[in-house]
Amino acid sequence: MRRFADILEIAAERKGGRAAVLADMPAVLSADALAAIPDERWLAQMARGILQTGISWTVVDRKWPGILEAFHGFDVARVSMMSDDWFDALIADTRIIRSPPKVRAVQENAVFIREIAAAHGSFGRWVGDWPAEDFAGLLVRLKADGARLGGTTGAYTLRVMGKEGYILSASVVARLAEEGVVDKAPTSRKAWAAVQDAFNRWRAESGQSLTVISRVLAQSIDA
């Protein structure tokens, strides 16, 4: 497995220098800053990721104000207790992406967020306190207990909200394969452990966040 500095050099050669590679990195928030994010914003971001899967993101962007209205600002308590009548009304509502499985997933994630918040004070507190050294465990938990948060949807949600972590995009997985970490996106406990161990080693070696490491790995592979 190459040192992170060597992978950064590969990315720099592809992108025109280190400064270009490291520019515009996503923000990483502290645990307390994540804890301060209202639960409604977490649900809204999950919903955005779910609704835009398989369709043009610009469609969701254009519809987003109407989606916010239709879901009452993603009030977690209200959405978690969605009645059959409201569900049926949403499926007929032209303001949103009218996919019954996706609408149901939003409701199920409201239940998930509400249960986590009840146990930890807020969903953001739970995410913020989750150790970066076990980010894989957080992704696995989102997939297992959330709805439609597997693949990269859960990871993108965390990235947008400011949680330190990685996204196992096709490019990142390709770099991990080049380094002999895995040969495909992880599905087994052993493969997830191997991915986390590799990121932890690069993090300790470089002092960079998992977020920066992930972005550098993605830029080190020809798309």
Side-chain angles (χ1 to χ4, degrees):
M1 198 172 87
R2 289 180 179 88
R3 297 180 307 132
F4 176 74
D6 296 331
I7 297 173
L8 176 56
E9 283 302 315
I10 293 171
E13 290 177 6
R14 292 190 62 250
K15 295 295 184 179
R18 290 192 179 193
V21 173
L22 298 174
D24 300 321
M25 285 292 171
V28 172
L29 302 183
S30 68
D32 287 343
L34 289 166
I37 297 174
D39 290 342
E40 287 74 18
R41 281 185 55 197
W42 290 98
L43 180 59
Q45 188 56 48
M46 289 178 184
R48 183 186 279 271
I50 291 166
L51 294 173
Q52 67 193 16
T53 299
I55 66 173
S56 170
W57 290 18
T58 58
V59 172
V60 177
D61 287 342
R62 187 173 65 250
K63 284 179 167 286
W64 192 247
I67 292 170
L68 279 171
E69 290 178 358
F71 282 93
H72 299 285
F74 292 100
D75 180 277
V76 171
R78 190 165 186 171
V79 176
S80 69
M81 299 174 67
M82 184 182 292
S83 67
D84 290 341
D85 287 345
W86 185 18
F87 179 84
D88 292 341
L90 283 172
I91 300 308
D93 194 331
T94 58
R95 292 176 295 175
I96 73 166
I97 308 300
R98 293 179 292 170
S99 165
K102 290 182 178 182
V103 171
R104 183 59 70 196
V106 174
Q107 185 264 331
E108 290 172 353
N109 282 324
V111 174
F112 173 47
I113 289 173
R114 192 174 185 182
E115 290 175 348
I116 291 293
H120 297 273
S122 72
F123 189 82
R125 179 81 273 167
W126 179 70
V127 171
D129 288 345
W130 197 287
E133 295 82 1
D134 183 35
F135 185 72
L138 180 55
L139 295 181
V140 170
R141 181 73 183 275
L142 289 179
K143 180 181 179 180
D145 293 347
R148 291 178 172 250
L149 296 179
T152 58
T153 302
Y156 272 113
T157 295
L158 295 172
R159 169 72 58 82
V160 171
M161 300 303 283
K163 175 67 175 177
E164 178 184 354
Y166 44 80
I167 295 175
L168 296 184
S169 64
S171 296
V172 172
V173 172
R175 170 52 60 194
L176 291 171
E178 283 281 329
E179 303 308 312
V181 177
V182 290
D183 57 6
K184 62 180 181 179
T187 55
S188 68
R189 183 177 298 180
K190 180 179 179 181
W192 274 114
V195 168
Q196 187 66 55
D197 181 64
F199 273 94
N200 287 347
R201 288 170 61 184
W202 286 321
R203 186 173 183 259
E205 167 196 310
S206 66
Q208 298 284 3
S209 70
L210 297 177
T211 302
V212 169
I213 294 166
S214 178
R215 291 286 297 119
V216 171
L217 264 60
Q219 294 177 83
S220 71
I221 289 288
D222 292 324

